[in-house]
Amino acid sequence: PDIEEEAEVPAGLTMCCIDDSGVARRLVTSQFLRYFPGSEAQAFGQSREDVPAFVEAVLSGADVVVLDQNLEWSREEVVLGTDLLRELLAKGFQGLLCMRSANSAEADVKFYRRCGAHCVINKDCAPRAFVQTISK
């Protein structure tokens, strides 16, 4: 079956992602737009200065949020995705929160979930697995 047939998600979703890697930002947004037709995607994370704009965009109407755990632009400029999860929840975000990380051992996944993540996506997962995880 096609991914589109398996994914029981509403049309017209808005997704925001934040990642310090330009390749990862393009990959996440392109996968989302490809497999969720009619949706919108915004990517943030080119620099530390993107963080406030990301939070504002999420709180202004995002349905799905994908966060990198380790946002590291330099040794002095590091933000944790789990800190952003907590901030978004504290400010009333009620959509789907997905942590996307290379660190996905059982202890890491439990930590992300305690911080508010609904799902955890390993950075090495195939596009199909990424889409299926979000669809669930």
Side-chain angles (χ1 to χ4, degrees):
D2 291 334
I3 290 174
E4 290 85 352
E5 293 172 359
E6 295 173 10
E8 300 267 341
V9 295
L13 293 174
T14 299
M15 186 272 301
C16 291
C17 78
I18 187 164
D19 200 303
D20 56 339
S21 162
V23 171
R25 289 191 301 272
R26 287 188 297 280
L27 180 68
V28 169
T29 56
S30 66
Q31 288 174 354
F32 192 83
L33 293 172
R34 177 178 176 197
Y35 292 111
F36 300 107
S39 295
E40 295 180 23
Q42 290 182 283
F44 300 85
Q46 186 171 350
S47 69
R48 170 71 176 87
E49 288 73 33
D50 273 3
V51 173
F54 165 77
V55 171
E56 182 179 330
V58 168
L59 296 174
S60 294
D63 302 298
V64 178
V65 177
V66 179
L67 305 101
D68 180 16
Q69 169 61 353
N70 294 299
L71 300 160
E72 188 171 339
W73 297 279
S74 70
R75 286 183 171 200
E76 297 79 31
E77 294 182 306
V78 178
V79 174
L80 297 178
T82 45
D83 290 342
L84 292 174
L85 282 174
R86 291 179 181 127
E87 179 180 351
L88 293 169
L89 289 169
K91 291 182 175 180
F93 180 72
Q94 296 187 4
L96 181 66
L97 293 165
C98 304
M99 184 62 66
R100 186 170 180 272
S101 179
N103 303 319
S104 58
E106 186 177 341
D108 296 313
V109 171
K110 286 180 179 179
F111 174 66
Y112 302 147
R113 290 193 184 278
R114 279 196 312 271
C115 292
H118 299 111
C119 59
V120 178
I121 303 163
N122 187 296
K123 281 193 173 184
D124 293 334
C125 81
R128 182 179 186 88
F130 170 81
V131 171
Q132 288 174 332
T133 299
I134 289 176
S135 298
K136 291 179 187 177

